[in-house]
Amino acid sequence: MTAVVKVVQRWLLGLMLACYVLAGVFPAPGEALRKLALPVHVGAGALTVPMVLLAVMLFNAGLGVRVAELRVVACRPVRLVLGIATNALLPLLVLPPIALVLRTWPDPAEVEGLVVGLMLVLAMPIAGGAASWGQNAGGNVPLAVAMVIGSTLLSPLTVPLGMHVAGHLVGPYGAGALDDTTKVDIIARTGAGVFALVSVVLPCLAGVAVRMLLGEDRARRVLPMAKAVNIVNILLLCYSNAAGALGQALAHPDWDLLALVLGLSGAVCLLAFVCGRWMSYWTRCDQPDGISLTFATGMNNSSAAAVLAASWFSHRPEVLLPILSYSLLQKIVAGAAGKPPRPHPGKEPRSTAGARGMTSGRLPTSRVLERRE
């Protein structure tokens, strides 16, 4: 199971693209899945199947958290607080100038949909994938996990705050008169906080608690199956969330809008990663802490944003489109940011005596001792 999960994770981005294509060509099953609801209400809306899938995904993420590692990070809280605060405050600084610049766009409804969609994804907590991407790049994994948990715990406050800001940007004093301004205000006052608590915070904490009850040995045996379930959840959420937006967008394609969505999502995504990298330089972090801070600032839980947007703005594809594109683009940028830097030509790479021994035609001391033995 572990080997299969590793292979699938390696091809996860391609599988997500395949889900997007499938959602654009055959959207009907995804739309049906998205509309399935349980006889339970969450805030002002019903508990849908995508919300349940999101909760299971975050439960599995919490199951992979080691509490002992979090205690070590808590002893050095400055970078932890900095990463959480940067991720929470970034949308409040980035979105108002974007909304101001986009007032020149000829269709105010499209602009307002884009602003709401970007605010939804940026207001969400740090993505759990920031820890795994950071681990591949040599980051401080406990610090990344602690930032994910801290950001998740704050989401019942940060998500409604982000939606309040979006409501002001797209309301009568914003880019125009959005027909969903009242709905944005309702989400900010009721739906967003309850959604973040029920679908994000509580499942994650439940996963952490279950791991503590199971113990490390049992949890280690359960994790491969949990990761497999997580991958299935991610792909199902990709397909169901994309079905509504891509189905409508491809049925009546607006190439100007699609180009604007991709360009704007890519620019904001790059800005988030650059901001995290700059913060790591400014605070003089060592390399592992700087990598974790970069990924935590640049990656948000786009699955949660897509579930909330699909529940409230299913008839507005321009709200979902920036979330879907941001979800893919942040993984592409994370893959590029996680590659180790190439050594400068003509300079000897920073390595141990092993590299120098091989270049000089001599074996390093450890190799000589091995051969003598």
Side-chain angles (χ1 to χ4, degrees):
M1 179 65 71
T2 303
V4 172
V5 168
K6 286 183 178 179
V7 172
V8 175
Q9 284 179 333
R10 195 175 303 163
W11 293 95
L12 186 58
L13 184 60
L15 291 173
M16 290 177 63
L17 284 170
C19 288
Y20 282 15
V21 173
L22 187 64
V25 178
F26 301 106
E31 291 179 350
L33 178 64
R34 183 165 48 83
K35 293 177 182 178
L36 289 178
L38 302 178
V40 179
H41 286 273
V42 178
L47 180 63
T48 62
V49 170
M51 289 183 186
V52 175
L53 294 175
L54 177 66
V56 172
M57 186 176 71
L58 286 160
F59 172 83
N60 291 334
L63 196 62
V65 174
R66 297 178 181 177
V67 179
E69 294 179 345
L70 299 182
R71 294 195 189 106
V72 175
V73 175
C75 297
R76 300 170 58 192
V78 175
R79 286 166 188 170
L80 171 62
V81 173
L82 180 64
I84 296 172
T86 303
N87 184 271
L89 295 176
L90 188 63
L92 306 181
L93 300 175
V94 170
L95 264 298
I98 290 177
L100 183 63
V101 171
L102 289 178
R103 288 189 181 188
T104 58
W105 189 258
D107 191 339
E110 292 179 351
V111 170
E112 292 156 347
L114 293 180
V115 170
V116 172
L118 283 174
M119 179 58 81
L120 271 174
V121 69
L122 290 176
M124 288 296 162
I126 299 170
S132 57
W133 284 105
Q135 182 180 21
N136 294 336
N140 185 342
V141 178
L143 176 61
V145 171
M147 286 190 285
V148 171
I149 296 295
S151 177
T152 301
L153 294 177
L154 281 179
S155 59
L157 299 176
T158 56
V159 176
L161 177 61
M163 294 310 298
H164 270 301
V165 174
H168 284 289
L169 292 176
V170 302
Y173 303 102
L178 179 67
D179 58 344
D180 292 306
T181 303
T182 305
K183 186 174 288 187
V184 171
D185 187 57
I186 292 174
I187 293 176
R189 287 188 288 105
T190 59
V194 178
F195 169 83
L197 180 65
V198 174
S199 298
V200 179
V201 176
L202 293 181
C204 186
L205 293 180
V208 174
V210 168
R211 175 159 187 148
M212 295 174 63
L213 293 174
L214 289 176
E216 290 301 320
D217 292 336
R218 291 181 181 176
R220 202 173 292 114
R221 291 195 293 267
V222 172
L223 278 178
M225 182 60 68
K227 289 180 180 179
V229 173
N230 240 20
I231 291 173
V232 174
N233 274 355
I234 290 172
L235 297 179
L236 279 176
L237 284 172
C238 282
Y239 173 67
S240 62
N241 292 329
L246 294 183
Q248 298 179 47
L250 295 180
H252 306 285
D254 186 343
W255 301 114
D256 292 341
L257 175 62
L258 293 176
L260 177 64
V261 167
L262 287 174
L264 194 58
S265 300
V268 174
C269 183
L270 283 172
L271 179 63
F273 274 90
V274 169
C275 180
R277 184 64 60 89
W278 178 81
M279 291 294 292
S280 66
Y281 287 148
W282 179 66
T283 55
R284 297 181 180 179
C285 292
D286 54 14
Q287 186 174 5
D289 287 1
I291 290 172
S292 295
L293 183 60
T294 299
F295 280 96
T297 305
M299 301 192 73
N300 292 82
N301 195 329
S302 56
S303 297
V307 170
L308 183 59
S311 301
W312 288 87
F313 298 99
S314 57
H315 63 296
R316 298 293 302 272
E318 61 269 21
V319 175
L320 261 169
L321 285 176
I323 299 174
L324 299 176
S325 60
Y326 196 97
S327 178
L328 283 176
L329 290 171
Q330 75 174 354
K331 292 176 178 61
I332 295 173
V333 176
K339 292 180 179 179
R342 295 181 179 179
H344 192 277
K347 286 188 178 182
E348 184 179 356
R350 293 182 180 178
S351 59
T352 58
R356 293 194 298 269
M358 293 301 290
T359 54
S360 61
R362 295 176 296 169
L363 288 171
T365 306
S366 59
R367 297 278 186 89
V368 172
L369 291 176
E370 288 175 4
R371 288 200 169 188
R372 284 180 181 176
E373 291 175 356

